[in-house]
Amino acid sequence: MGIRKGRRPGSPDTRAAILAAARDAFAERGFDRASIRQIAASAGVDPALVHHYFGTKDELFLAAVQAPADPRELLPQVLAGDREQLGERLVRMFLGVWDSPAGPAAAGILRAAVSHEWSARLIREFLVSQVLRRVAAELDVPDSDRRVALVASQLMGLAMARYIIKLEPLASAEPAWIVAAVGPALQRYFTGELPDLPTMG
Amino acid sequence: MGIRKGRRPGSPDTRAAILAAARDAFAERGFDRASIRQIAASAGVDPALVHHYFGTKDELFLAAVQAPADPRELLPQVLAGDREQLGERLVRMFLGVWDSPAGPAAAGILRAAVSHEWSARLIREFLVSQVLRRVAAELDVPDSDRRVALVASQLMGLAMARYIIKLEPLASAEPAWIVAAVGPALQRYFTGELPDLPTMG
DNA sequence: GGCAGAATTCATCACCTGTTGAATTCCACG
DNA sequence: CGTGGAATTCAACAGGTGATGAATTCTGCC
């Protein structure tokens, strides 16, 4: 009676279960407050097994949140089409990702990025080298790196307000409305007039 | 010899020292990773004294981060003047607060808001009832609550990108440039054309 | 001078954390 | 049928956490 030691019969994919539990835990409780013991319990498994599969907690986090969405797959859809509606397409895709099953993972990354420098570095490197740089290369306007950073700031703010802080009425607004409201703002960052760099002195 | 028990001579304002240490700790390590023991040590004091002055850790946090800036004092300066430059004035003030000594406290609140629902509620209530509602009341356009929420999202994103994630070139950009770049975006949210609410079906 | 009360520390408690190493059980292959 | 290796659990370690209650020393007042 009770749970015996040793290998269990059948072949449940325990590894995947742990990963799923970790994903959930990190997403809704953040890195610090998500505990390995709790993740293990939630996966119906001993904590040591978590360490057996994924080493340390940091590694588990990396395994759990890696690639919530692949920019190499998504960006071309956004970049294709006329440049005058780039902003709206980007917001639409952004909301699509966050409202998808990948959303919680993204929330986990964002939560972790706020409290851990190494995770902030992670998201920064990801944004810069996987997303922003590619978009910037596709734009044929000057100051493209500044432009994409402004775009990133608005999108991060949108995610914070809508999914983390849950600020109303943004949190429960229709995606279509948000696209129409925020899209043009991004469009201006992309292709509109921006100030020159201030000349010192 | 060594540190004796009991009341110490002189009158160093220990309470203020604890508060300052707590402020620093919460700002740069967030709520979870800031420990009372460490705050106490950093203030040259026993952990129990921290509990003696401020009760629980939550209460200490509230005492440490309350009112990094008083909207009742700052908002009138922003709202005064012509409506066509409201956006720029708001960005300028926002950057002013974050670049001031109050900035770290603001960062602490933001960090905590991301990992704790009760703290997210805190910042949400603060934003809604102390800032957004007042600004909305001052605007004479329809949909003012939606407009201010959009503004809040852009400002939160700016804070995240510049002060938390430290995304370049935003992180080290000149405030004047940011004002000129982001101001008009906020201005559009405030007084520009926004889409109607989508009609369902 | 004595006494109330505030300031401060000490010594804990109970708990949770990540992590490790050994023990056990099962499966697959020879 | 046996054996090696993978899956899984148990038991524990070492450390950190917030919190509490009692003890001690000082200050200020009468």
Side-chain angles (χ1 to χ4, degrees):
Chain A
M1 53 179 297
I3 304 173
R4 292 197 310 285
K5 263 193 187 181
R7 184 171 197 164
R8 275 197 258 145
S11 69
D13 197 349
T14 314
R15 201 191 131 101
I18 293 177
L19 210 54
R23 209 165 262 134
D24 285 0
F26 284 135
E28 64 182 75
R29 314 182 42 114
F31 182 85
D32 294 307
R33 303 177 76 78
S35 84
I36 286 194
R37 289 173 139 89
Q38 177 188 138
I39 289 173
S42 160
V45 141
D46 190 273
L49 194 58
V50 178
H51 282 100
H52 174 64
Y53 279 123
F54 320 87
T56 168
K57 189 183 181 183
D58 295 12
E59 296 173 302
L60 173 61
F61 176 78
L62 288 182
V65 300
Q66 83 176 345
D70 188 0
R72 275 170 299 192
E73 178 182 1
L74 299 178
L75 277 186
Q77 303 179 30
V78 175
L79 292 174
D82 64 332
R83 287 296 149 81
E84 294 310 310
Q85 288 173 341
L86 220 179
E88 293 199 359
R89 284 200 303 273
L90 183 54
V91 180
R92 189 174 295 117
M93 160 139 300
F94 188 76
L95 291 179
V97 169
W98 278 82
D99 285 329
S100 80
I109 295 182
L110 193 51
R111 287 201 149 91
V114 172
S115 28
H116 294 279
E117 172 53 29
W118 58 267
S119 184
R121 197 186 320 268
L122 186 74
I123 201 176
R124 192 168 46 214
E125 292 302 318
F126 174 80
L127 276 180
V128 170
S129 67
Q130 303 298 315
V131 183
L132 302 185
R133 189 162 291 162
R134 296 180 188 190
V135 178
E138 210 74 13
L139 290 179
D140 49 354
V141 288
D143 285 327
S144 60
D145 47 346
R146 286 182 163 72
R147 291 175 182 273
V148 292
L150 289 170
V151 169
S153 82
Q154 170 64 87
L155 287 181
M156 287 178 48
L158 181 55
M160 285 286 296
R162 181 173 163 93
Y163 300 100
I164 307 287
I165 307 288
K166 294 187 171 60
L167 181 71
E168 293 294 352
L170 255 182
S172 48
E174 293 274 337
W177 182 82
I178 298 185
V179 167
V182 177
L186 298 194
Q187 190 63 43
R188 171 173 165 276
Y189 286 152
F190 274 135
T191 60
E193 298 177 18
L194 284 193
D196 289 333
L197 288 176
T199 52
M200 310 287 278
Chain B
M1 50 183 302
I3 303 174
R4 292 195 312 283
K5 263 194 187 180
R7 182 169 197 165
R8 275 197 256 144
S11 70
D13 197 349
T14 314
R15 202 191 130 101
I18 294 177
L19 210 54
R23 210 165 261 135
D24 286 0
F26 285 135
E28 64 183 75
R29 312 178 49 109
F31 182 85
D32 294 309
R33 303 176 77 78
S35 85
I36 286 193
R37 290 172 140 90
Q38 177 190 136
I39 290 174
S42 161
V45 142
D46 190 272
L49 195 59
V50 178
H51 282 103
H52 174 65
Y53 279 123
F54 319 88
T56 168
K57 190 184 181 183
D58 294 11
E59 294 173 305
L60 173 62
F61 176 78
L62 288 181
V65 300
Q66 80 176 348
D70 188 359
R72 275 171 299 192
E73 179 181 1
L74 299 178
L75 276 187
Q77 303 179 31
V78 175
L79 292 174
D82 65 330
R83 288 294 148 83
E84 294 311 309
Q85 288 174 341
L86 219 179
E88 293 199 358
R89 285 200 303 273
L90 183 54
V91 180
R92 189 174 296 117
M93 160 140 301
F94 189 77
L95 291 178
V97 169
W98 278 82
D99 285 329
S100 80
I109 294 183
L110 193 52
R111 288 200 149 91
V114 172
S115 27
H116 295 280
E117 172 54 28
W118 59 266
S119 185
R121 197 188 320 267
L122 186 75
I123 201 176
R124 193 168 46 214
E125 292 302 317
F126 175 79
L127 276 179
V128 170
S129 67
Q130 304 297 316
V131 184
L132 303 186
R133 190 162 291 163
R134 296 182 189 191
V135 178
E138 212 73 14
L139 290 179
D140 49 355
V141 287
D143 285 328
S144 60
D145 48 344
R146 275 172 228 278
R147 291 175 181 273
V148 293
L150 289 170
V151 169
S153 82
Q154 170 63 88
L155 287 181
M156 287 178 49
L158 181 56
M160 285 286 297
R162 181 172 163 94
Y163 300 101
I164 307 286
I165 307 288
K166 295 188 171 62
L167 182 71
E168 293 296 350
L170 256 182
S172 48
E174 293 273 338
W177 181 81
I178 299 185
V179 166
V182 176
L186 297 193
Q187 190 64 43
R188 171 175 165 275
Y189 286 152
F190 273 137
T191 60
E193 297 178 19
L194 284 194
D196 290 333
L197 288 176
T199 51
M200 311 285 278

